[in-house]
Amino acid sequence: MLKGNFFRGLGYLGEGFGLIRQPGLRLFVVIPLIINILLFGLLFYFLAELFTAMIAAAMAWLPDWAWLQALDWLFWLLYGVVILLMLAYGFVIVANLIGSPFYGYLAELTEKQLTGQEVSTDDSGSAIIKDIPRALWREVQKIAYYLPRALGLFIIGLIPVVNLVAAVLWFLFNSWMMALQYVDYPADNHKVSFPALRKLLGDTRLSALGFGLPVALAAMVPVLNLFVVPAAVCGATAYWVRENGSNTQ
């Protein structure tokens, strides 16, 4: 039976947007934001090219029946949703891979604001640099978890008619991945392994999906998706403090 509170989970991203306006957190929002702007432009260009090729391949595969070929608008719609979801999480993967040291520290500062307690005694710039290899390894673990499952969904999305289900599965999977992606930052600050984090989020899966849903939606909206990453880190930290943090004390 699914546990947690879906509607409570929905509120954490909004709380994150409120937290990124706090003076002590702004620096760790501005630097990744500049990186995100550059990355999003590149990803949008390459995925637009992929989108056009996918439509041409799907229409060439179908029988040359007039009524079936007339449904090309449906494939544009379905593949458009899939590409948006790929862009959303693809953007998140690359942005977080580069910005992970900043986001780990942003989660640490956010938790301090929420609880009044220090997460780490070393808050120097050198500590951030020393954490880069560990932060990158965490991102690699998340990518390794994501890619085989994404590949399976991508293959399903290439099959006409069956791809009607693919968009829904993609969206549910992306919502789950967004929760995993961002709650991982405060979890890592507490030395919780990635497999242990998956179990913790599984114990409150409804809350996790509630948090991941608006993050996945916001990640598909141009301009807004540039700001959603730091807001999601702060919102995920609030999620950690209230939903799962007590389980690891």
Side-chain angles (χ1 to χ4, degrees):
M1 184 176 180
L2 294 178
K3 297 180 180 179
N5 188 313
F6 179 80
F7 296 101
R8 185 170 64 236
L10 288 173
Y12 288 119
L13 181 61
E15 186 173 354
F17 273 107
L19 286 165
I20 63 173
R21 295 197 295 268
Q22 300 299 314
L25 305 180
R26 286 176 188 165
L27 177 63
F28 292 91
V29 173
V30 172
I31 295 175
L33 178 61
I34 295 171
I35 297 172
N36 292 349
I37 291 171
L38 297 174
L39 286 175
F40 183 76
L42 289 171
L43 280 171
F44 185 83
Y45 172 78
F46 286 117
L47 283 177
E49 293 294 317
L50 176 62
F51 177 72
T52 303
M54 285 173 62
I55 295 297
M59 296 309 297
W61 191 27
L62 293 175
D64 192 21
W65 300 336
W67 69 270
L68 196 56
Q69 292 293 325
L71 292 177
D72 63 341
W73 64 270
L74 180 60
F75 291 105
W76 278 94
L77 178 63
L78 291 173
Y79 283 126
V81 172
V82 171
I83 286 293
L84 278 174
L85 290 168
M86 290 174 64
L87 177 62
Y89 196 70
F91 168 71
V92 165
I93 285 178
V94 181
N96 289 342
L97 188 61
I98 295 175
S100 55
F102 294 101
Y103 297 138
Y105 193 55
L106 176 60
E108 185 176 322
L109 292 175
T110 303
E111 185 168 345
K112 181 181 177 181
Q113 285 212 5
L114 292 171
T115 66
Q117 299 177 354
E118 294 281 357
V119 179
S120 171
T121 56
D122 190 354
D123 59 356
S124 64
S126 61
I128 298 176
I129 295 174
K130 285 192 296 184
D131 275 346
I132 289 177
R134 182 172 58 84
L136 291 177
W137 172 240
R138 294 286 288 211
E139 294 304 317
V140 169
Q141 286 181 282
K142 284 179 272 189
I143 293 171
Y145 176 83
Y146 172 78
L147 285 179
R149 293 161 178 80
L151 180 61
L153 289 173
F154 181 76
I155 292 171
I156 292 173
L158 293 176
I159 304 172
V161 183
V162 177
N163 58 13
L164 293 169
V165 182
V168 176
L169 294 177
W170 264 105
F171 194 73
L172 289 174
F173 178 56
N174 263 30
S175 297
W176 170 247
M177 280 305 307
M178 291 298 182
L180 273 178
Q181 175 68 58
Y182 291 110
V183 180
D184 184 57
Y185 291 115
D188 185 33
N189 288 338
H190 287 271
K191 305 298 186 289
V192 175
S193 70
F194 185 61
L197 172 64
R198 297 206 318 262
K199 184 179 184 304
L200 280 172
L201 289 188
D203 290 340
T204 54
R205 193 175 298 273
L206 284 176
S207 297
L209 289 174
F211 169 61
L213 173 65
V215 177
L217 287 172
M220 294 190 300
V221 180
V223 181
L224 178 60
N225 58 8
L226 301 175
F227 296 91
V228 74
V229 176
V233 173
C234 294
T237 305
Y239 179 104
W240 171 264
V241 169
R242 297 181 188 127
E243 301 280 344
N244 292 107
S246 60
N247 295 337
T248 62
Q249 301 301 319

